[in-house]
Amino acid sequence: MHSMTSTDITRDVVTRLVDAYATGDRATAYAVTHPDIVWECIGPPEFFPSCGQRIGRAAVFTNFELIAELFSITEFRAARVLADGEYAALRILGTFASRRNGRRHRIELFCHARVVDGQLIAWREMFDSVAAVRDLHGVDMSMLALSTEPLERL
């Protein structure tokens, strides 16, 4: 029998988490998440209140509930997982629809994860928030990037 390396364990944990999130399997997601996890989503909290840093399993799961209140998720899968020891990088593809207005967005998340003792202890994700704001909220933020005016004057 082949024993799992730390790379195998890391790949298994992050894949199980993504699959559990996609299917709503809270028990599995809970089991693979460390009680002291630090979870961070890089994005504008003005448009996506689930963005920002959450510390601890309870805060992360409260955030999962917030996401479920705001969006229906019709697809969520790991398209690529690269693991090395206790670290992993993931590319996740998903489709989200706003529960408020029905607008849809095909999201591509890039995530960095760390697994210690078979549990996820750190997660940091980022996405194209400009495209997500456009698709889900109908706001074209690209003009802000082109402007030379200070933001407070726009």
Side-chain angles (χ1 to χ4, degrees):
M1 182 174 173
H2 164 64
S3 67
M4 292 181 73
T5 66
S6 62
T7 297
D8 295 333
I9 292 167
T10 296
R11 184 179 296 107
D12 178 65
V13 166
V14 298
T15 301
R16 286 174 50 209
L17 176 72
V18 171
D19 292 346
Y21 187 81
T23 61
D25 180 358
R26 284 183 61 95
T28 297
Y30 196 86
V32 300
T33 305
H34 193 279
D36 298 323
I37 186 170
V38 175
W39 188 289
E40 186 173 14
C41 178
I42 309 299
E46 305 84 359
F47 290 98
F48 303 105
S50 57
C51 289
Q53 187 179 79
R54 305 297 188 273
I55 299 174
R57 187 189 283 150
V60 169
F61 277 79
T62 298
N63 203 45
F64 287 172
E65 291 169 10
L66 174 61
I67 294 167
E69 288 174 19
L70 297 172
F71 304 103
S72 64
I73 301 169
T74 56
E75 177 191 11
F76 196 81
R77 66 180 176 85
R80 185 80 158 154
V81 177
L82 302 173
D84 185 14
E86 61 187 28
Y87 296 95
L90 299 86
R91 178 177 172 245
I92 298 172
L93 300 176
T95 303
F96 284 55
S98 170
R99 292 192 188 278
R100 183 176 55 85
N101 61 25
R103 296 176 71 109
R104 298 172 60 79
H105 176 67
R106 177 106 168 110
I107 195 164
E108 185 176 29
L109 290 168
F110 294 95
C111 313
H112 299 129
R114 182 172 177 227
V115 173
V116 174
D117 296 329
Q119 289 188 309
L120 186 67
I121 187 82
W123 181 274
R124 187 173 207 210
E125 63 188 24
M126 52 230 79
F127 61 102
D128 181 352
S129 59
V130 171
V133 168
R134 179 196 63 226
D135 293 350
L136 292 168
H137 296 284
V139 176
D140 184 2
M141 293 180 63
S142 63
M143 296 310 294
L144 293 177
L146 298 175
S147 175
T148 58
E149 292 291 316
L151 282 178
E152 62 269 3
R153 293 171 68 195
L154 293 177

